[in-house]
Amino acid sequence: MAVLAITFVRFQLGAAPPEEPITGRFGHLPILEAVFLGGLWGIIALGAILFAIALLTNRPQLLRWAIWAWLIGGVALLLFGAMNFYTHIGMYYNIEHGTSHKW
């Protein structure tokens, strides 16, 4: 997950095409979505690393930080996934019907 986080930013992955409502408006700035996705995966990776360290070193106080990282990352991933569900449907509708509806 940590390497994937770096990859998102390094190669500016995840830029939305212009046909996609909401995120398509920022498609000309691929670094925005790359930093968001890299940060999202980075937070989740941090939680996983902290969890492993807490278990291996018998430091249960680190578990609180792992849980917070997963909670923040999970909520962001849930909201981003919900937005993508609707914007991808909007993108396919725009492509199929030759429209450019913006939500």
Side-chain angles (χ1 to χ4, degrees):
M1 283 186 259
V3 172
L4 184 59
I6 294 167
T7 303
F8 271 116
V9 177
R10 167 66 176 89
F11 296 106
Q12 295 187 7
L13 302 176
E19 294 85 7
E20 189 171 303
I22 302 172
T23 54
R25 294 180 184 201
F26 306 104
H28 65 285
L29 300 169
I31 192 67
L32 287 179
E33 197 157 358
V35 167
F36 173 76
L37 291 170
L40 177 59
W41 283 110
I43 289 171
I44 296 169
L46 178 66
I49 291 167
L50 289 173
F51 182 78
I53 292 171
L55 292 181
L56 291 172
T57 62
N58 196 22
R59 295 173 61 190
Q61 67 272 22
L62 290 178
L63 292 176
R64 179 184 315 168
W65 294 102
I67 289 169
W68 274 109
W70 285 337
L71 182 65
I72 292 167
V75 168
L77 191 60
L78 177 73
L79 294 173
F80 185 69
M83 182 193 68
N84 273 330
F85 176 78
Y86 289 106
T87 59
H88 279 62
I89 290 172
M91 176 184 66
Y92 294 137
Y93 182 86
N94 284 339
I95 290 171
E96 183 176 333
H97 297 286
T99 61
S100 59
H101 293 295
K102 303 287 185 193
W103 297 10

